[in-house]
Amino acid sequence: EAQVTQNPRYLITVTGKKLTVTCSQNMNHEYMSWYRQDPGLGLRQIYYSMNVEVTDKGDVPEGYKVSRKEKRNFPLILESPSPNQTSLYFCASNPGGVHTGELFFGEGSRLTVL
Amino acid sequence: GQNIDQPTEMTATEGAIVQINCTYQTSGFNGLFWYQQHAGEAPTFLSYNVLDGLEEKGRFSSFLSRSKGYSYLLLKELQMKDSASYLCAVRDDKIIFGKGTRLHILP
Protein backbone atom coordinates (compact mmCIF):
# COMPACT_ATOMS: atom_id res chain seq x y z
CA GLU A 1 0.00 0.00 0.00
CA ALA A 2 1.30 3.43 -1.01
CA GLN A 3 1.78 5.50 2.11
CA VAL A 4 3.69 8.09 4.09
CA THR A 5 4.52 6.93 7.61
CA GLN A 6 5.37 9.24 10.49
CA ASN A 7 6.59 8.32 13.95
CA PRO A 8 5.83 9.00 16.68
CA ARG A 9 2.17 9.91 16.27
CA TYR A 10 2.03 11.49 19.72
CA LEU A 11 4.84 12.77 21.90
CA ILE A 12 5.12 14.79 25.08
CA THR A 13 8.61 16.01 25.87
CA VAL A 14 10.40 18.69 27.85
CA THR A 15 12.22 21.81 26.78
CA GLY A 16 15.72 21.15 25.48
CA LYS A 17 15.47 17.40 25.00
CA LYS A 18 16.46 16.59 21.43
CA LEU A 19 13.94 14.64 19.42
CA THR A 20 13.49 13.30 15.91
CA VAL A 21 10.24 12.73 14.06
CA THR A 22 10.74 10.19 11.32
CA CYS A 23 9.03 10.21 7.94
CA SER A 24 9.20 7.45 5.36
CA GLN A 25 7.45 6.99 2.01
CA ASN A 26 7.29 3.87 -0.14
CA MET A 27 6.33 5.50 -3.45
CA ASN A 28 9.82 6.44 -4.69
CA HIS A 29 8.81 10.11 -4.54
CA GLU A 30 11.41 12.78 -5.14
CA TYR A 31 9.68 15.65 -3.31
CA MET A 32 9.16 15.54 0.45
CA SER A 33 8.11 18.25 2.86
CA TRP A 34 7.39 18.98 6.50
CA TYR A 35 4.55 21.23 7.65
CA ARG A 36 3.34 22.34 11.02
CA GLN A 37 -0.27 23.23 11.67
CA ASP A 38 -1.46 25.58 14.38
CA PRO A 39 -4.97 26.96 14.99
CA GLY A 40 -5.69 29.94 12.76
CA LEU A 41 -2.37 29.67 10.94
CA GLY A 42 -2.99 26.81 8.55
CA LEU A 43 -0.28 24.53 7.23
CA ARG A 44 3.10 26.25 7.27
CA GLN A 45 6.04 24.73 5.51
CA ILE A 46 9.14 24.04 7.62
CA TYR A 47 11.53 22.43 5.14
CA TYR A 48 11.22 20.68 1.82
CA SER A 49 13.42 18.47 -0.31
CA MET A 50 13.37 18.17 -4.08
CA ASN A 51 15.55 15.06 -4.08
CA VAL A 52 18.26 13.19 -2.19
CA GLU A 53 20.80 15.52 -0.56
CA VAL A 54 18.76 18.59 -1.61
CA THR A 55 16.90 20.45 1.14
CA ASP A 56 15.54 23.98 1.35
CA LYS A 57 13.98 26.15 4.01
CA GLY A 58 10.27 26.76 3.99
CA ASP A 59 8.49 29.59 5.75
CA VAL A 60 9.21 28.59 9.37
CA PRO A 61 12.54 26.70 9.54
CA GLU A 62 13.87 28.19 12.79
CA GLY A 63 14.54 25.56 15.44
CA TYR A 64 14.35 22.63 13.02
CA LYS A 65 16.78 20.56 10.97
CA VAL A 66 16.20 17.97 8.28
CA SER A 67 18.27 15.54 6.25
CA ARG A 68 17.64 13.59 3.05
CA LYS A 69 20.28 10.90 2.83
CA GLU A 70 17.94 8.42 1.16
CA LYS A 71 15.01 9.02 -1.13
CA ARG A 72 12.47 7.33 1.15
CA ASN A 73 13.32 9.05 4.46
CA PHE A 74 13.06 12.67 5.54
CA PRO A 75 13.46 13.03 9.33
CA LEU A 76 12.64 16.25 11.18
CA ILE A 77 15.03 17.04 14.01
CA LEU A 78 14.35 19.38 16.91
CA GLU A 79 17.76 19.91 18.51
CA SER A 80 16.47 21.86 21.51
CA PRO A 81 12.67 21.88 21.53
CA SER A 82 10.83 24.81 23.03
CA PRO A 83 7.14 25.22 23.99
CA ASN A 84 6.44 27.27 20.85
CA GLN A 85 7.16 24.13 18.83
CA THR A 86 4.12 22.46 20.32
CA SER A 87 2.11 21.71 17.20
CA LEU A 88 0.67 19.13 14.83
CA TYR A 89 3.28 18.11 12.27
CA PHE A 90 2.66 16.60 8.86
CA CYS A 91 5.10 15.01 6.46
CA ALA A 92 4.10 14.86 2.81
CA SER A 93 5.51 13.57 -0.47
CA ASN A 94 4.93 14.01 -4.19
CA PRO A 95 6.48 12.36 -7.26
CA GLY A 96 8.37 15.56 -8.06
CA GLY A 97 8.85 17.39 -11.32
CA VAL A 98 6.21 19.58 -12.91
CA HIS A 99 2.47 18.87 -12.96
CA THR A 100 2.73 15.71 -10.91
CA GLY A 101 -0.50 15.92 -8.96
CA GLU A 102 -1.37 14.85 -5.49
CA LEU A 103 0.66 15.59 -2.38
CA PHE A 104 0.43 12.53 -0.13
CA PHE A 105 0.28 13.16 3.62
CA GLY A 106 1.30 11.16 6.63
CA GLU A 107 -1.20 10.83 9.48
CA GLY A 108 0.42 13.57 11.53
CA SER A 109 2.51 13.78 14.69
CA ARG A 110 1.15 15.71 17.64
CA LEU A 111 4.03 17.12 19.65
CA THR A 112 3.76 18.80 23.05
CA VAL A 113 6.82 20.52 24.55
CA LEU A 114 6.54 21.33 28.26
CA GLY B 1 6.40 37.16 -2.06
CA GLN B 2 4.01 34.27 -1.88
CA ASN B 3 0.45 34.81 -0.75
CA ILE B 4 -2.64 32.63 -0.81
CA ASP B 5 -5.96 34.03 0.43
CA GLN B 6 -9.20 32.26 1.20
CA PRO B 7 -12.08 33.11 3.53
CA THR B 8 -11.64 32.02 7.12
CA GLU B 9 -15.12 30.59 7.65
CA MET B 10 -18.29 29.92 5.69
CA THR B 11 -21.68 28.52 6.59
CA ALA B 12 -24.11 26.70 4.31
CA THR B 13 -27.20 24.55 4.56
CA GLU B 14 -27.46 20.83 3.98
CA GLY B 15 -28.46 20.12 0.37
CA ALA B 16 -27.32 23.52 -0.89
CA ILE B 17 -24.34 24.61 -3.01
CA VAL B 18 -21.32 26.50 -1.71
CA GLN B 19 -18.37 28.10 -3.50
CA ILE B 20 -15.05 28.58 -1.69
CA ASN B 21 -12.74 31.08 -3.35
CA CYS B 22 -8.96 31.20 -3.37
CA THR B 23 -6.71 33.92 -4.75
CA TYR B 24 -2.98 33.59 -5.01
CA GLN B 25 0.14 35.59 -5.78
CA THR B 26 3.22 33.46 -6.29
CA SER B 27 6.48 33.88 -8.14
CA GLY B 28 5.76 30.81 -10.25
CA PHE B 29 2.88 28.45 -10.88
CA ASN B 30 2.81 24.73 -11.57
CA GLY B 31 -0.66 23.85 -10.38
CA LEU B 32 -3.25 24.42 -7.67
CA PHE B 33 -4.54 21.87 -5.17
CA TRP B 34 -7.66 21.64 -3.05
CA TYR B 35 -7.67 19.50 0.06
CA GLN B 36 -10.33 18.64 2.65
CA GLN B 37 -9.30 18.33 6.28
CA HIS B 38 -11.34 17.19 9.25
CA ALA B 39 -10.14 18.36 12.64
CA GLY B 40 -7.04 16.52 13.85
CA GLU B 41 -6.76 14.45 10.70
CA ALA B 42 -4.48 14.57 7.67
CA PRO B 43 -5.63 16.52 4.63
CA THR B 44 -7.41 14.52 1.94
CA PHE B 45 -6.78 15.29 -1.73
CA LEU B 46 -9.74 16.68 -3.69
CA SER B 47 -8.40 18.18 -6.91
CA TYR B 48 -5.39 19.44 -8.83
CA ASN B 49 -5.78 22.08 -11.57
CA VAL B 50 -3.00 22.94 -13.96
CA LEU B 51 -4.90 24.44 -16.89
CA ASP B 52 -7.66 27.06 -16.90
CA GLY B 53 -11.20 25.87 -16.64
CA LEU B 54 -13.54 23.75 -14.61
CA GLU B 55 -12.88 20.18 -13.53
CA GLU B 56 -15.76 18.18 -12.13
CA LYS B 57 -15.47 15.19 -9.85
CA GLY B 58 -18.79 14.02 -8.47
CA ARG B 59 -20.25 16.59 -6.09
CA PHE B 60 -17.03 18.62 -6.12
CA SER B 61 -15.77 20.87 -8.91
CA SER B 62 -12.70 23.07 -9.07
CA PHE B 63 -12.09 26.06 -11.32
CA LEU B 64 -8.85 27.81 -12.21
CA SER B 65 -8.03 31.11 -13.90
CA ARG B 66 -4.25 31.52 -14.08
CA SER B 67 -4.41 35.03 -15.53
CA LYS B 68 -6.48 36.20 -12.55
CA GLY B 69 -4.64 34.15 -9.92
CA TYR B 70 -8.00 32.73 -8.88
CA SER B 71 -9.58 29.41 -8.13
CA TYR B 72 -12.76 28.18 -6.52
CA LEU B 73 -14.02 24.90 -5.11
CA LEU B 74 -17.71 24.22 -5.67
CA LEU B 75 -19.50 21.76 -3.45
CA LYS B 76 -22.97 20.62 -4.49
CA GLU B 77 -25.70 18.77 -2.58
CA LEU B 78 -24.01 19.51 0.70
CA GLN B 79 -23.98 16.79 3.32
CA MET B 80 -23.26 17.09 7.04
CA LYS B 81 -20.02 15.14 6.52
CA ASP B 82 -18.78 18.01 4.33
CA SER B 83 -18.28 20.06 7.49
CA ALA B 84 -14.50 20.44 7.43
CA SER B 85 -11.71 22.81 6.52
CA TYR B 86 -10.88 23.26 2.85
CA LEU B 87 -7.30 24.08 1.96
CA CYS B 88 -6.07 25.77 -1.19
CA ALA B 89 -2.42 25.14 -2.09
CA VAL B 90 -0.21 26.35 -4.93
CA ARG B 91 2.81 24.63 -6.40
CA ASP B 92 5.72 26.78 -7.43
CA ASP B 93 8.88 24.74 -6.91
CA LYS B 94 7.55 24.04 -3.44
CA ILE B 95 3.93 23.57 -2.38
CA ILE B 96 2.47 26.17 -0.05
CA PHE B 97 -0.96 26.34 1.57
CA GLY B 98 -3.47 29.01 2.38
CA LYS B 99 -4.82 29.16 5.93
CA GLY B 100 -7.90 27.17 5.02
CA THR B 101 -11.64 27.81 5.04
CA ARG B 102 -13.69 26.24 7.79
CA LEU B 103 -17.06 25.21 6.37
CA HIS B 104 -20.01 24.75 8.71
CA ILE B 105 -23.05 22.85 7.43
CA LEU B 106 -26.41 23.54 9.06
CA PRO B 107 -29.22 20.95 8.96
Side-chain angles (χ1 to χ4, degrees), chain B residues 2-8 20-26 32 34 69-72 86-90 96-101:
Chain B
Q2 317 265 60
N3 194 45
I4 300 174
D5 286 317
Q6 46 182 134
T8 303
I20 303 173
N21 295 324
C22 171
T23 57
Y24 62 91
Q25 295 168 306
T26 55
L32 185 143
W34 283 98
Y70 169 70
S71 173
Y72 67 74
Y86 291 85
L87 314 179
C88 174
V90 172
I96 59 172
F97 284 79
K99 293 183 179 180
T101 299

Side-chain angles (χ1 to χ4, degrees), chain A residues 15-87:
Chain A
T15 299
K17 186 176 181 181
K18 180 179 178 180
L19 69 93
T20 299
V21 186
T22 63
C23 175
S24 181
Q25 50 91 6
N26 62 0
M27 296 168 279
N28 201 37
H29 285 173
E30 293 185 350
Y31 180 94
M32 297 185 75
S33 182
W34 276 103
Y35 298 89
R36 61 177 289 175
Q37 188 170 37
D38 304 287
L41 298 178
L43 280 166
R44 293 182 294 167
Q45 191 171 51
I46 304 171
Y47 271 93
Y48 66 103
S49 170
M50 302 290 281
N51 213 326
V52 175
E53 301 292 359
V54 179
T55 62
D56 285 288
K57 295 178 180 179
D59 296 321
V60 289
E62 295 79 18
Y64 304 95
K65 288 185 179 179
V66 291
S67 68
R68 189 87 184 276
K69 292 184 171 59
E70 314 162 277
K71 190 178 256 192
R72 65 182 293 123
N73 295 323
F74 191 45
L76 179 69
I77 304 157
L78 286 73
E79 292 273 1
S80 183
S82 61
N84 65 12
Q85 292 179 298
T86 292
S87 188

Side-chain angles (χ1 to χ4, degrees), chain B residues 43-62:
Chain B
T44 303
F45 175 76
L46 293 177
S47 66
Y48 178 56
N49 292 66
V50 176
L51 301 176
D52 291 352
L54 184 69
E55 292 203 6
E56 299 183 72
K57 196 183 292 185
R59 294 189 299 115
F60 293 6
S61 302
S62 57

